[in-house]
Amino acid sequence: MALASRRRLATSLFLALAAVLFFLLAAAGPAAATGKTGQVTVFWGRNKAEGSLREACDAGTYTFIIISFLNVFGHGKPTLDLSGHPIGPIGADIKYCQSKSIMLFLSIGGPGTDYSLPTAQSATDLADYLWFAFLAGHRPSTHRPFGEAELDGVDLFIDNGPADFYDVLATRLWSYNKEFRGRTPAQMSATTRCRYPDPRLSRALATGVITRINVRFYGDGYCAAYWEQEWDKWTAAYPQSMVYVGLPASEKTVGYVVPKNLYYGVVPVVQKAANYGGIMIWERYADKQSNYSGYAIQWA
């Protein structure tokens, strides 16, 4: 074969290989980039055996921790239930976690029934209490359970009772941000049931101040079967909020997704949404046993 012919053949082969490589990169590139955030949220405070808050932050798999729960409010004194965790060290742990760029919220509500906001005034009063007791507000008349440590925001986990005035609560809390420049010390999230809409939180979500929505795709057989349909509803309804896929870390909970199916079945679907935020894990104790977040952080 003449030298010129060999050169033409080599050039043709190179161009063909380049075209194939370009096609593969073009096909793989958007899928790899779309929606991937690396954000993993976990609920902490539901089992004393889960270890300290500082230990959770040292796990290296969480970017966001929700302390749960403030489960009595609206009547009588607001009360924390942290499953027997000593309150004393938590303030220092919060500051430690924040030094590692981990955000921390306080969740209010939960599975109990000792909370309600029957009037606009009760919602305003609770918002003021949360601001001065846990967030950036400080006044001598309000005791701060975590001392000088300032949480980053409040999560609404309203699982019982009527819708009440959670919209007033959210709006009031958000109004405190006007006093600050360059940061938002009273951020808001909501942890909803998976079936859209969640009637207890619809009014609060309609305010537009809730920037993170954790949708619980567990504990409900319907949602385990039709999670993709419900995911599409949530992401379409709140395009300005980041929406997180809530999954259990325990295989004993309805809705558990084995890591292989998480990677091949769930992640490729949810990452297509422009407002996909990441994965929310219920909860730290179960995750400590299964290391579910170790898989999630790789693919979220």
Side-chain angles (χ1 to χ4, degrees):
M1 183 182 293
L3 179 60
S5 297
R6 288 198 298 270
R7 285 177 175 174
R8 284 196 297 271
L9 178 59
T11 300
S12 298
L13 290 172
F14 173 80
L15 291 175
L17 288 171
V20 170
L21 180 61
F22 176 81
F23 173 80
L24 291 174
L25 290 174
T34 300
K36 185 171 175 58
T37 65
Q39 299 295 305
V40 175
T41 297
V42 72
F43 273 78
W44 176 90
R46 304 319 311 138
N47 191 317
K48 189 176 181 180
E50 69 197 335
S52 69
L53 181 60
R54 180 180 294 249
E55 181 184 335
C57 293
D58 280 338
T61 54
Y62 311 127
T63 56
F64 194 96
I65 295 178
I66 301 178
I67 298 172
S68 55
F69 291 103
L70 184 86
N71 68 341
V72 177
F73 57 80
H75 53 87
K77 183 180 179 180
T79 304
L80 281 169
D81 174 15
L82 301 182
S83 305
H85 284 287
I87 300 296
I90 294 179
D93 288 357
I94 289 170
K95 292 181 178 180
Y96 174 77
C97 295
Q98 290 170 333
S99 74
K100 297 171 71 72
S101 299
I102 298 171
M103 296 187 69
L104 294 105
F105 277 30
L106 174 67
S107 190
I108 70 169
T113 58
D114 292 329
Y115 57 85
S116 64
L117 292 177
T119 66
Q121 187 60 52
S122 64
T124 298
D125 291 344
L126 179 60
D128 293 347
Y129 170 74
L130 292 169
W131 173 252
F132 289 107
F134 297 101
L135 301 177
H138 295 262
R139 65 184 179 191
S141 60
T142 302
H143 171 65
R144 296 182 63 87
F146 303 146
E148 296 301 303
E150 299 175 0
L151 293 172
D152 299 294
V154 172
D155 173 69
L156 304 181
F157 192 120
I158 309 305
D159 224 22
N160 290 294
D164 286 345
F165 288 87
Y166 294 100
D167 54 335
V168 176
L169 169 71
T171 303
R172 175 73 171 183
L173 267 176
W174 192 261
S175 71
Y176 278 110
N177 294 320
K178 296 176 183 178
E179 303 174 15
F180 295 81
R181 292 183 179 181
R183 70 187 184 102
T184 309
Q187 299 183 50
M188 298 291 301
S189 68
T191 299
T192 69
R193 294 187 175 188
C194 81
R195 299 195 197 195
Y196 177 84
D198 186 329
R200 293 184 176 88
L201 287 168
S202 291
R203 282 164 47 185
L205 290 168
T207 64
V209 303
I210 294 176
T211 56
R212 303 169 63 103
I213 302 173
N214 306 303
V215 184
R216 291 181 284 153
F217 290 101
Y218 57 87
D220 184 330
Y222 170 86
C223 290
Y226 299 102
W227 68 269
E228 192 170 343
Q229 171 182 302
E230 297 303 313
W231 170 259
D232 288 342
K233 291 178 182 178
W234 281 106
T235 53
Y238 301 102
Q240 302 306 313
S241 299
M242 300 303 291
V243 185
Y244 295 73
V245 185
L247 298 171
S250 172
E251 60 184 9
K252 297 178 182 178
T253 303
V254 173
Y256 176 78
V257 179
V258 299
K260 180 179 179 181
N261 291 344
L262 176 66
Y263 178 72
Y264 287 105
V266 175
V267 169
V269 173
V270 298
Q271 285 185 349
K272 293 177 183 178
N275 55 338
Y276 160 72
I279 295 173
M280 181 276 279
I281 293 177
W282 179 265
E283 36 69 41
R284 167 63 181 163
Y285 175 73
D287 188 46
K288 189 176 179 180
Q289 311 305 308
S290 66
N291 190 36
Y292 200 76
S293 62
Y295 300 103
I297 194 66
Q298 299 177 59
W299 309 320

